[in-house]
Amino acid sequence: MLRAFILALVTIAILPLSAAAQDRAHIEQQFRAWLDQTVWPRARAKGVDRATFDTAFSGVTLNWDLPDLVPPGQPRQTPKAQRQSEFGAPANYFAAGNLRAATATGRTMAKRHAATLARVERATGVPGRIVLGIWGRESAYGRAAIPHNAFQVLGTKGFMSTRAPYFTDELIAALQIAQAGHAPGSAMKSSWAGALGQPQFMPSNFLKYAADGDGDGREDIWRSEADTMASIATYLARHGWVTGRDWGFEVTVPPQVSCTLEGPDQGRAIAKWAAMGIKRVSGRPFPAHERRGEGYLLMPAGRHGPAFIVTPNFYVLKDYNMSDLYALFVGHVGDRIQFGSGDFAGRWGSVGRMYRSDIAAMQRALIGMGHDVGGADGLPGFKTRRSIGRWQEASGQAATCFPTKAMTQALSR
């Protein structure tokens, strides 16, 4: 009797696993049909031949470990896991070890590639230190392992992710790259998001911005450091980098200047910010040519961290990666490489651990009050930060402009 009972329990435990395996097998069949019926006609229309297509997907199956997947027949959910560090606690992004490593290697690269960087800067107007900052962040100057099969990643996400149309377009672009023979051998490796090579270009960006930096007639972002640097600079130049302007300056913001003034849509001449009492932490005045130009208040952790006046070039850096912290890291590392700058004078405060779902709930509450938070995506961008500050001020509180766990309950009342 006991033996029969145990056998029954084991059978019950196995059944869901078997059912899940059958579901996945069925979805794999749907994936292969999607490749043949949807992807192949689009690829063929872009000049991809069948041999290239078949080689790309030989042995490729769905990668079930990727984030933000929505398998057929399952509802979309807001993820709790924060897979990108850009959207974690700000202090973690600027860990001392990361900054030291990026700076030390960047200085070595600045010396090694001085002639190339100077040539690239003359051609594009983008300073070499900025190129190095991006290169270091994206692939540790080409030293980082890029582990994934690009066709598996882009195929999986094109077939069943929260942004399936976008990744399907990128998959077609990756097939065009393979058809043209740009990538050497088996180099079509990518990040978990499908980004390629040392500058971590999405495939469509490779087709638009990859540049030949060493004059060999090829754009090789996998093996050529010169091509990598030229491609990064070309991307920034074509996205509007303003030659002669900096990316920004760390500042002190007096209490009477509200953190709700943050954002690229609330810009004013830097001279006007200075007249409001905002000063560079270095004690030096803003350069004369910068004072005439437009600047924007940036407080990525609200009153819990350093503050900055940034220029339009900061938002060009954000075009490379839509994160305030990413753009700030790149500019900061570039300054450390070229000017020997130290750590930020302002200190990152503790804001507690929060999941994206917590912030999304807060955003939905603010939207219900009429605030423009930029969408309930669980990411505390500048619109969310200043909306929090405006809610705090309307509630008679001092504005801090950054989410905390306690606010989730206060906003849901």
Side-chain angles (χ1 to χ4, degrees):
M1 192 71 166
L2 178 61
R3 195 170 178 184
F5 178 69
I6 293 172
L7 181 60
L9 288 178
V10 170
T11 302
I12 291 170
I14 290 173
L15 277 175
L17 294 176
S18 300
Q22 290 172 2
D23 286 345
R24 287 198 174 188
H26 179 62
I27 292 172
E28 290 283 356
Q29 291 175 354
Q30 291 179 286
F31 172 58
R32 299 308 304 189
W34 174 78
L35 288 176
D36 284 334
Q37 297 168 16
T38 300
V39 177
W40 164 238
R42 287 187 58 185
R44 180 176 55 195
K46 290 291 187 179
V48 177
D49 62 34
R50 188 71 202 196
T52 298
F53 184 87
D54 289 342
T55 299
F57 293 108
S58 176
V60 169
T61 59
L62 293 169
N63 184 339
W64 294 88
D65 295 327
L66 295 174
D68 301 330
L69 299 184
V70 185
Q74 294 188 18
R76 176 175 176 172
Q77 296 179 341
T78 300
K80 289 189 74 173
Q82 298 183 21
R83 296 293 291 265
Q84 278 186 289
S85 58
E86 283 81 22
F87 309 121
N92 297 339
Y93 202 87
F94 294 88
N98 292 342
L99 288 171
R100 283 196 298 268
T103 302
T105 307
R107 287 173 181 160
T108 298
M109 291 297 181
K111 294 177 182 176
R112 181 180 303 170
H113 299 291
T116 298
L117 288 166
R119 184 170 63 251
V120 165
E121 183 168 352
R122 286 194 300 270
T124 64
V126 179
R129 74 181 195 279
I130 298 298
V131 173
L132 291 170
I134 289 179
W135 186 18
R137 184 63 194 175
E138 292 295 339
S139 65
Y141 306 99
R143 290 160 169 74
I146 301 175
H148 298 289
N149 179 319
F151 296 110
Q152 182 184 51
V153 168
L154 295 169
T156 298
K157 294 176 84 69
F159 175 65
M160 59 172 193
S161 80
T162 56
R163 300 171 64 200
Y166 166 77
F167 285 106
T168 302
D169 290 345
E170 293 298 339
L171 177 60
I172 302 300
L175 288 166
Q176 291 177 261
I177 292 170
Q179 178 67 38
H182 289 297
S186 59
M188 285 296 279
K189 300 291 185 181
S190 76
S191 70
W192 63 262
L196 305 172
Q198 296 188 47
Q200 285 291 273
F201 274 1
M202 293 303 291
S204 61
N205 283 336
F206 175 90
L207 295 177
K208 288 184 282 190
Y209 307 115
D212 177 12
D214 54 21
D216 67 353
R218 296 173 53 84
E219 297 88 26
D220 185 351
I221 62 171
W222 295 271
R223 296 174 299 184
S224 170
E225 295 178 331
D227 288 5
T228 294
M229 290 181 280
S231 297
I232 292 170
T234 298
Y235 181 100
L236 296 177
R238 292 189 186 172
H239 280 78
W241 184 272
V242 181
T243 303
R245 293 206 69 183
D246 211 321
W247 66 267
F249 308 89
E250 187 183 0
V251 298
T252 56
V253 180
Q256 69 269 19
V257 177
S258 175
C259 54
T260 64
L261 295 177
E262 182 183 8
D265 53 352
Q266 299 191 96
R268 62 192 72 194
I270 290 181
K272 292 185 177 180
W273 289 113
M276 296 167 67
I278 291 179
K279 299 178 181 178
R280 294 177 66 182
V281 296
S282 66
R284 297 190 296 272
F286 292 102
H289 72 283
E290 295 285 9
R291 286 176 60 85
R292 295 188 295 270
E294 190 165 61
Y296 317 93
L297 181 62
L298 173 74
M299 301 181 75
R303 290 284 182 180
H304 299 292
F308 307 86
I309 292 294
V310 297
T311 76
N313 285 339
F314 178 86
Y315 294 99
V316 174
L317 295 178
K318 278 193 68 175
D319 283 333
Y320 206 100
N321 182 313
M322 287 302 295
S323 161
D324 289 331
L325 299 182
Y326 175 92
L328 188 57
F329 186 95
V330 165
H332 182 51
V333 167
D335 289 350
R336 292 167 70 104
I337 290 170
Q338 183 166 336
F339 306 126
S341 305
D343 294 338
F344 292 135
R347 292 291 174 259
W348 302 102
S350 175
V351 296
R353 180 175 177 80
M354 296 192 69
Y355 288 112
R356 283 180 59 175
S357 54
D358 297 326
I359 298 171
M362 190 181 307
Q363 289 169 322
R364 287 190 292 271
L366 289 165
I367 290 170
M369 299 175 189
H371 292 280
D372 176 11
V373 300
D377 57 3
L379 308 175
F382 74 89
K383 288 186 176 181
T384 295
R385 295 194 295 264
R386 71 188 186 193
S387 292
I388 288 170
R390 288 167 181 168
W391 166 74
Q392 289 173 313
E393 290 178 344
S395 305
Q397 306 173 56
T400 60
C401 298
F402 205 76
T404 64
K405 190 76 173 177
M407 289 180 193
T408 305
Q409 296 178 341
L411 280 165
S412 62
R413 289 173 188 167

